[in-house]
């Protein structure tokens, strides 16, 4: 079902907070309480997905958009035009300026997070907080996965001149996340010298997160996954093995483990019904540095996962192949998420949202329109597409904040 009605991301989260409030029907366990899943994709333009004529095939997303109970909404506007502001609105339902997030806040080395950054001052009520007060059905059932980009995970960041601002600080029970952005292939390959030979830098040819010319910057090159661990220093621990070629698959695996364990731990004591949950999955796909696996790029070249270039046009560049491969890997991951919800008995009673945080990368100043004389049939400076919309990421033109959105209601 396709719906054309303008809606803002912050209004959407306010609706979600109300839904949690209504789920509080006493203190007894209930088999009918819904689960909530918010999937946030990164720098994916309005016209990047298959159902809007995107170059990369996204069959799982396209099929899901047509399923009964799913609404394809073509006029959603994100809370910001860059990463952190939208992520703030997703958590609080408020304008990001009210929560002191006016641009991108993040760090790789958590001892050097922005010293004066305090996301959501005075403990603003968040979606995570709503889960905590929604009754015993949701106990230990809120998890954040993927890209955080709203401060440090250390529970003692103040000792380093920073501010503690992790998913735990803002209401979630658990997380498995990167503190900032990482590349979408071999995400943590710079965390240990012995892993560097595994690095897949794609069309970039080198690490682009940092220039490692001194000790401090070398620390900033490590983009690792962290999770809550009360027994470890700073209350967190991190991966001590290299992440896979396809970063989206790591995040999906983490969600599958969480869902399986939650069902197994709760179904016996709830008369055969698993306890509900609330999760946010924030994929890195397809923020710079976007890197596709070699097998995905080859499939795109063969026309298996991408629409071939128009007749007479030039072949796709390595930059384009990395981006389109990144999109198909994102689609595969979302397909797995939906399948796992079905397999574990959650799908029919889960409210699911999928949205992008802003428009595609690569601005075109000063007009907001992109054109290339050498590729007239591919009229953008970057491979992401906002279609007919003017503007891209960082623009207040519509293409900067008019983003893909799909919603599935619970039954």
């Amino acid at each position: 079902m396709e719906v054309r009605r303008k809606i803002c991301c912050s209004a959407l989260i306010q609706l979600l907070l109300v839904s949690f409030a209504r789920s509080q029907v006493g203190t007894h366990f209930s088999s009918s309480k819904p689960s909530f899943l918010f999937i946030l994709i990164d720098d994916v333009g309005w016209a990047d997905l298959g159902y809007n004529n995107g170059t990369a095939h996204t069959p799982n997303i396209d099929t899901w958009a047509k399923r009964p109970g799913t609404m394809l909404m073509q006029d959603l506007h994100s809370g910001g035009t860059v990463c952190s502001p939208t992520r703030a609105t997703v958590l609080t339902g408020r304008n990001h300026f009210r929560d002191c997030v006016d641009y991108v806040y993040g760090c790789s080395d958590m001892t050097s997070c922005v010293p004066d950054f305090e996301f959501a001052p005075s403990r603003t009520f968040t979606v995570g907080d709503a889960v905590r007060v929604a009754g015993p059905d949701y106990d230990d059932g809120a998890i954040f996965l993927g890209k955080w980009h709203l401060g440090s995970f250390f529970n003692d960041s103040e000792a380093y001149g920073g501010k503690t601002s992790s998913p735990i600080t803002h209401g979630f029970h658990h997380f498995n996340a990167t503190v900032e952005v990482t590349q979408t292939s071999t995400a943590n390959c710079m965390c240990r010298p012995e892993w560097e030979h595994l690095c897949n830098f794609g069309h970039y040819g080198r690490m682009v997160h940092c220039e490692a010319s001194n000790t401090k910057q070398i620390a900033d090159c490590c983009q690792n996954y962290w999770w809550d661990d009360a027994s470890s220093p700073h209350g967190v621990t991190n991966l001590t093995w290299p992440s896979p070629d396809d970063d989206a698959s790591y995040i999906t695996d983490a969600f599958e483990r969480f869902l399986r364990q939650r069902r197994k731990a709760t179904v016996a004591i709830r008369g055969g019904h698993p306890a509900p949950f609330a999760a946010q999955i924030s994929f890195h796909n397809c923020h710079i540095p976007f890197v596709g696996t070699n097998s995905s790029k080859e499939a795109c070249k063969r026309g298996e996962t991408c629409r071939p270039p128009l007749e007479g046009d030039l072949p796709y560049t390595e930059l384009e192949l990395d981006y389109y491969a990144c999109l198909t890997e994102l689609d595969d991951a979302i397909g797995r998420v939906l399948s796992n919800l079905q397999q574990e008995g959650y799908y029919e009673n889960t409210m699911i949202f999928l949205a992008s945080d802003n428009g595609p990368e690569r601005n075109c100043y000063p007009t907001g329109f992109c054109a290339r004389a050498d590729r007239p049939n591919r009229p953008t400076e970057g491979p992401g597409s906002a279609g007919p919309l003017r503007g891209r990421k960082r623009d207040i033109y519509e293409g900067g904040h008019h983003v893909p959105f799909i919603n599935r209601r619970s039954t």
Side-chain angles (χ1 to χ4, degrees):
M1 177 180 180
E2 182 174 325
V3 178
R4 290 185 177 272
R5 180 176 296 172
K6 185 168 289 189
I7 184 170
C8 179
C9 188
S10 58
L12 187 69
I13 301 307
Q14 290 170 6
L15 174 63
L16 184 57
L17 290 170
V18 170
S19 298
F20 271 117
R22 289 179 175 174
S23 73
Q24 299 181 56
V25 290
T27 58
H28 298 291
F29 289 123
S30 169
S31 63
S32 61
K33 290 186 179 180
S35 295
F36 300 85
L37 172 61
F38 196 105
I39 301 173
L40 190 64
I41 56 181
D42 206 323
D43 289 7
V44 175
W46 182 84
D48 273 328
L49 300 180
Y51 65 78
N52 272 344
N53 201 35
T55 297
H57 300 326
T58 53
N60 293 304
I61 294 174
D62 299 347
T63 300
W64 177 54
K66 298 176 182 178
R67 288 180 67 171
T70 303
M71 292 186 293
L72 172 59
M73 303 184 76
Q74 292 283 35
D75 207 0
L76 180 82
H77 295 259
S78 61
T81 63
V82 289
C83 301
S84 296
T86 293
R87 288 156 210 280
T89 66
V90 165
L91 290 178
T92 69
R94 310 196 319 169
N95 183 288
H96 57 89
F97 289 111
R98 293 187 66 194
D99 292 318
C100 302
V101 182
D102 56 359
Y103 199 61
V104 174
Y105 292 95
C107 54
S108 306
D109 175 5
M110 283 183 276
T111 64
S112 64
C113 280
V114 182
D116 59 355
F117 169 55
E118 184 180 10
F119 164 55
S122 303
R123 285 299 291 117
T124 303
F125 196 71
T126 69
V127 169
D129 294 321
V131 180
R132 287 181 178 267
V133 301
D137 288 277
Y138 295 94
D139 284 353
D140 207 39
I143 188 169
F144 181 94
L145 299 167
K147 174 183 169 183
W148 177 239
H149 225 340
L150 285 169
S152 171
F153 294 156
F154 282 5
N155 63 9
D156 59 349
S157 295
E158 287 72 12
Y160 300 93
K163 302 286 186 182
T164 299
S165 182
S166 77
I168 302 296
T169 311
H170 297 290
F172 290 92
H173 297 110
H174 304 287
F175 68 90
N176 190 334
T178 60
V179 72
E180 199 181 7
V181 67
T182 188
Q183 64 185 43
T184 58
S185 179
T186 58
N188 69 350
C189 67
M190 294 295 287
C191 293
R192 291 191 176 185
E194 59 267 31
W195 298 348
E196 290 181 17
H197 73 282
L198 301 171
C199 290
N200 175 14
F201 296 136
H203 69 279
Y204 303 98
R206 63 181 181 85
M207 168 62 72
V208 294
H209 291 98
C210 62
E211 296 294 335
S213 59
N214 58 50
T215 303
K216 192 64 173 176
Q217 288 175 329
I218 290 172
D220 285 340
C221 289
C222 175
Q223 306 285 339
N224 213 347
Y225 277 92
W226 298 78
W227 55 91
D228 50 290
D229 182 356
S231 65
S232 295
H234 317 296
V236 290
T237 192
N238 63 287
L239 274 182
T240 56
W241 58 89
S243 60
D245 286 349
D246 176 4
D247 176 71
S249 70
Y250 174 85
I251 297 172
T252 305
D253 286 345
F255 177 70
E256 290 179 356
R257 289 194 301 273
F258 164 77
L259 209 60
R260 190 180 309 115
Q261 290 166 4
R262 184 156 183 80
R263 185 181 192 284
K264 184 177 180 180
T266 63
V267 70
I269 63 174
R270 291 171 49 84
H273 299 284
F277 70 91
Q280 180 176 335
I281 303 178
S282 293
F283 288 104
H284 293 97
N285 302 52
C286 292
H287 190 288
I288 286 176
F290 48 81
V291 180
T293 62
N294 291 332
S295 59
S296 294
K297 288 193 285 187
E298 288 301 318
C300 180
K301 280 184 183 179
R302 293 191 298 268
E304 296 171 5
T305 58
C306 297
R307 186 178 68 241
L310 295 177
E311 186 176 352
D313 203 359
L314 296 171
Y316 291 131
T317 64
E318 286 299 311
L319 179 148
E320 289 170 322
L321 288 171
D322 265 328
Y323 187 77
Y324 300 142
C326 176
L327 282 174
T328 57
E329 288 162 6
L330 171 67
D331 181 72
D332 288 343
I334 291 172
R336 284 179 55 195
V337 167
L338 298 173
S339 294
N340 198 249
L341 288 170
Q342 195 82 53
Q343 292 166 10
E344 299 297 335
Y346 278 102
Y347 182 82
E348 295 300 329
N349 202 26
T350 299
M351 183 177 290
I352 309 171
F353 305 90
L354 184 149
S356 182
D357 60 349
N358 45 248
E361 185 59 88
R362 295 288 186 97
N363 303 76
C364 304
Y365 298 113
T367 64
F369 290 107
C370 301
R372 293 182 60 164
D374 62 333
R375 283 182 170 79
N377 294 318
R378 305 209 287 271
T380 58
E381 290 293 335
S385 177
L389 305 176
R390 181 182 187 182
R392 297 164 73 83
K393 182 177 179 178
R394 303 180 190 85
D395 282 335
I396 58 172
Y397 298 127
E398 191 166 1
H401 50 84
H402 187 159
V403 295
F405 177 59
I406 303 173
N407 168 232
R408 189 203 180 275
R409 60 178 175 80
S410 61
T411 55

